[in-house]
Amino acid sequence: MERFGEDIKNACKVLTEGGLVLYPTDTVWGIGCDATNEDAVRRVYELKKRADHKAMLVLLDSPAKIDRYVSEIPDVAYDLAELADKPLTIIYPGARNLALNLLGEDRSIGIRITREAFSQKLCETFRKPVVSTSANISGQPSPMFFDDISEGVKQGVDYVVKYRRDDKTGCKPSGIIRFGTDGSVQIIRK
């Protein structure tokens, strides 16, 4: 079994049951849940003490899966998702097949294709998008490392992944691009 196989198995079980996981991503440690489960998404908002009108993003393991969750995808979005040399979140209009309380007020959704080993395998094995939001209480700094995560967040999830807890590799937030319904493209964060 691979180096994090037991973590994947445990995390998928928790996600399937509507629970929350604390896991490493391609940016910072994240709080995750089944992105199609409104009750699970609500629990993430409650744990973060975050207003539920502030949309959260989801992770997928492959650009080929984007069309399951977005009604219209500009061709350039596939190229960006495929060729990005650092984590890139793309905000798409016309989200579908996701928990409604996860979406922006305009029914948009941020999707990032993760290339980090654990989160990619988690998405692949779970076979659904996984919510990814920084593992902090809203308004507090995003934790760069596992040791920076508050005990309240650690206690508020149903499973804490063991893999990469000792990793001190610095990481940065993803770039963010938004596609509008009119075909416009807005760079929100480089």
Side-chain angles (χ1 to χ4, degrees):
M1 186 175 277
E2 64 203 85
R3 63 192 181 275
F4 45 71
E6 195 67 26
D7 269 332
I8 293 291
K9 182 177 134 191
N10 293 337
C12 284
K13 182 179 186 306
V14 167
L15 293 173
T16 300
E17 294 170 352
L20 307 186
V21 298
L22 184 58
Y23 69 110
T25 75
D26 52 344
T27 56
V28 296
W29 274 76
I31 300 168
C33 70
D34 175 352
T36 67
N37 182 325
E38 287 194 29
D39 291 332
V41 170
R42 186 175 307 108
R43 283 191 59 210
V44 174
Y45 284 120
E46 289 169 359
L47 176 59
K48 286 184 64 80
K49 299 177 176 41
R50 181 174 176 165
D52 63 7
H53 65 272
K54 292 190 172 192
M56 294 182 287
L57 67 93
V58 301
L59 295 182
L60 290 173
D61 60 298
S62 167
K65 296 180 180 176
I66 298 170
D67 66 349
R68 296 179 193 174
Y69 305 102
V70 178
S71 55
E72 291 182 41
I73 306 160
D75 288 339
V76 70
Y78 287 112
D79 294 335
L80 288 170
E82 193 76 41
L83 301 173
D85 60 353
K86 70 174 199 165
L88 176 65
T89 300
I90 300 176
I91 301 171
Y92 299 91
R96 63 182 179 182
N97 302 322
L98 295 166
L100 293 177
N101 57 344
L102 182 60
L103 310 182
E105 292 176 347
D106 59 357
R107 295 191 55 87
S108 62
I109 186 65
I111 297 176
R112 189 166 72 239
I113 306 303
T114 179
R115 290 181 178 84
E116 185 273 332
F118 182 86
S119 54
Q120 186 175 51
K121 187 67 173 177
L122 179 64
C123 292
E124 177 187 319
T125 305
F126 186 54
R127 300 175 58 139
K128 292 183 190 177
V130 176
V131 166
S132 181
T133 183
S134 57
N136 62 315
I137 304 301
S138 192
Q140 294 180 355
S142 296
M144 294 302 295
F145 308 109
F146 180 79
D147 292 343
D148 298 336
I149 301 169
S150 75
E151 283 304 312
V153 168
K154 290 176 187 173
Q155 298 299 319
V157 300
D158 302 296
Y159 184 71
V160 180
V161 169
K162 295 172 182 66
Y163 179 68
R164 283 187 51 202
R165 286 190 188 183
D166 296 328
D167 187 353
K168 299 296 184 198
T169 308
C171 51
K172 297 180 180 175
S174 71
I176 303 174
I177 294 176
R178 173 187 284 274
F179 286 104
T181 53
D182 59 359
S184 62
V185 178
Q186 177 186 11
I187 298 173
I188 296 175
R189 182 171 63 208
K190 290 184 179 184

